[in-house]
């Protein structure tokens, strides 16, 4: 592939000198290391982490990808020869005659314009709706419903906190209203008809709502999809939100997570339901703030 042509920054472009952006890039890498330390240390010991592995398997990414800082569109990095070789970057001549690198928005949109439009539509639709806070995380229970009776192994190596019969009883005594397709598609066959909704991939933009824990975690996925157009602090904020949600998602699940030092959110009790909703509302508020910033990124690219 031939190198991108050299360009000059527009009048509205912000130029960051090397002594400004180098510390930002290092601080970003340090923060990424802090956020991924538990998972990395487990991996170094050759151990699986039943809670955090999800962040690196369901959302396939690498720590190196999280550590790589991007300023986002509209910012030129002075003396950034390495960046100029990265995908969707181009070399830029600065007003003082020096060189820099910046995101080539035209090239990025040529490759990812459809993705930008989809993310903008989905995230915007989700942000426009009120949150729903009555699901109590029962999607995870529906994913193992009647597994033992059907002779299936449940989804995680962790034991079930209430056992198979107790888990099935919780599902049978509750109303299930999961709006998220990527959770619903993992329901056991016996649980699918118990859901009040029938999410599909096509209906995802019409059903996503900000109270959904998985919709909150997916903000990390959308930031990854938009890659270098997303500023580094937004990517890590989305990852941190996804990590925090994941711990609650598993604490409220039927699994016994005490081996990870995590106390259960016993959603089968009134107290557990209240705690789940309290956390859910907090995640929804954080998620809406991330959505607003992600929408701003999409709009800036248009």
């Amino acid at each position: 592939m031939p190198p991108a042509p050299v360009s000059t920054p527009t009048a509205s472009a912000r130029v960051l000198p090397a002594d400004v952006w180098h510390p930002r890039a290092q601080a970003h890498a340090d923060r990424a290391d802090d956020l991924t330390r538990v998972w990395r240390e487990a991996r170094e010991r050759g151990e699986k982490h039943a809670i955090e592995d999800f962040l690196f398997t369901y959302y396939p990414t690498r720590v190196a990808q999280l550590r790589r800082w991007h300023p986002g569109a509209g910012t030129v990095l002075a003396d950034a020869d390495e960046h100029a070789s990265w995908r969707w970057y181009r070399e830029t001549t600065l007003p003082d005659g020096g060189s820099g690198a910046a995101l080539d928005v035209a090239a990025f949109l040529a490759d990812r314009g459809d993705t930008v439009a989809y993310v903008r539509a989905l995230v915007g639709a989700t942000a426009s709706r009120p949150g729903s806070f009555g699901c109590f995380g029962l999607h995870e229970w529906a994913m193992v419903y009647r597994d033992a009776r059907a002779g299936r192994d449940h989804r995680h190596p962790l034991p079930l906190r209430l056992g198979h019969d107790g888990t099935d009883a919780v599902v049978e005594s509750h109303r299930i209203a999961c709006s998220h397709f990527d959770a619903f598609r993992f329901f056991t066959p016996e649980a699918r008809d118990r859901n009040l909704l029938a999410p599909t991939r096509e209906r995802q933009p019409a059903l996503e709502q900000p109270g959904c824990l998985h919709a909150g975690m997916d903000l990390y996925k959308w930031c990854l999809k938009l890659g270098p157009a997303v500023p580094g602090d937004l990517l890590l904020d989305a990852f941190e939100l996804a990590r925090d949600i994941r711990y609650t998602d598993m604490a409220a699940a039927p699994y016994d997570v005490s081996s990870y030092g995590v106390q259960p959110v016993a959603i089968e009790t009134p107290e557990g339901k209240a705690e789940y909703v309290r956390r859910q509302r907090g995640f929804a508020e954080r998620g809406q703030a991330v959505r607003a910033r992600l929408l701003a990124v999409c709009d800036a690219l248009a």
Side-chain angles (χ1 to χ4, degrees):
M1 178 182 297
V6 177
S7 66
T8 55
T10 63
S12 61
R14 178 180 59 156
V15 178
L16 291 184
D19 61 356
V20 172
W21 70 261
H22 279 175
R24 292 186 188 181
Q26 185 59 55
H28 173 92
D30 292 344
R31 183 186 174 198
D33 288 343
D34 286 342
L35 290 172
T36 60
R37 179 168 286 109
V38 169
W39 183 80
R40 289 186 295 104
E41 290 178 351
R43 192 180 186 198
E44 288 167 3
R45 295 191 300 268
E47 299 174 358
K48 292 185 178 297
H49 196 289
I51 299 176
E52 294 205 13
D53 281 353
F54 179 83
L55 300 169
F56 297 90
T57 54
Y58 181 78
Y59 302 116
T61 188
R62 296 171 290 108
V63 172
Q65 188 175 357
L66 287 172
R67 295 183 86 251
R68 178 174 282 190
W69 176 78
H70 297 283
T75 298
V76 179
L77 304 179
D79 302 317
D81 293 342
E82 180 184 5
H83 287 68
S85 67
W86 292 355
R87 189 180 184 189
W88 295 308
Y89 275 81
R90 67 189 302 164
E91 185 179 352
T92 300
T93 300
L94 302 179
D96 64 3
S99 66
L103 179 70
D104 186 337
V105 173
F108 179 78
L109 289 176
D111 289 343
R112 292 294 173 87
D114 289 347
T115 301
V116 173
Y118 178 81
V119 172
R120 178 65 180 83
L122 175 62
V123 173
T126 305
S128 72
R129 299 187 182 105
S132 178
F133 302 101
C135 69
F136 306 123
L138 283 161
H139 57 279
E140 289 286 347
W141 299 71
M143 293 177 191
V144 296
Y145 178 60
R146 294 198 173 183
D147 262 353
R149 299 185 203 183
R152 296 184 298 259
D153 291 331
H154 62 260
R155 283 169 47 79
H156 288 278
L158 295 172
L160 296 175
R161 182 168 54 83
L162 302 179
H164 286 285
D165 290 343
T167 298
D168 291 350
V170 169
V171 173
E172 291 165 359
S173 64
H174 285 78
R175 161 185 167 274
I176 304 177
C178 179
S179 60
H180 191 72
F181 173 69
D182 283 316
F184 176 69
R185 67 190 177 98
F186 290 109
F187 281 25
T188 64
E190 297 85 351
R192 292 179 66 86
D193 288 342
R194 290 182 169 273
N195 198 34
L196 294 179
L197 302 171
T200 63
R201 180 68 69 203
E202 293 72 24
R203 296 183 66 207
Q204 189 171 4
L207 290 178
E208 292 282 81
Q209 49 86 18
C212 172
L213 264 60
H214 276 260
M217 284 193 285
D218 278 355
L219 287 166
Y220 167 53
K221 174 173 69 176
W222 304 131
C223 285
L224 288 173
K225 291 282 189 184
L226 299 189
V230 173
D233 60 335
L234 176 54
L235 173 63
L236 292 188
D237 285 351
F239 177 80
E240 185 170 15
L241 175 62
R243 189 197 62 172
D244 293 349
I245 290 175
R246 175 62 179 168
Y247 271 87
T248 287
D249 197 38
M250 288 295 284
Y255 309 110
D256 181 353
V257 291
S258 60
S259 60
Y260 291 95
V262 176
Q263 294 298 311
V265 177
I267 57 93
E268 70 276 13
T269 68
E271 296 79 12
K273 285 182 172 64
E275 175 62 15
Y276 185 87
V277 171
R278 184 190 69 80
R279 296 190 192 188
Q280 191 178 26
R281 289 185 181 278
F283 291 138
E285 183 176 348
R286 288 171 62 186
Q288 289 290 63
V290 171
R291 284 186 186 93
R293 293 161 64 193
L294 186 54
L295 289 172
V297 168
C298 293
D299 291 343
L301 292 170

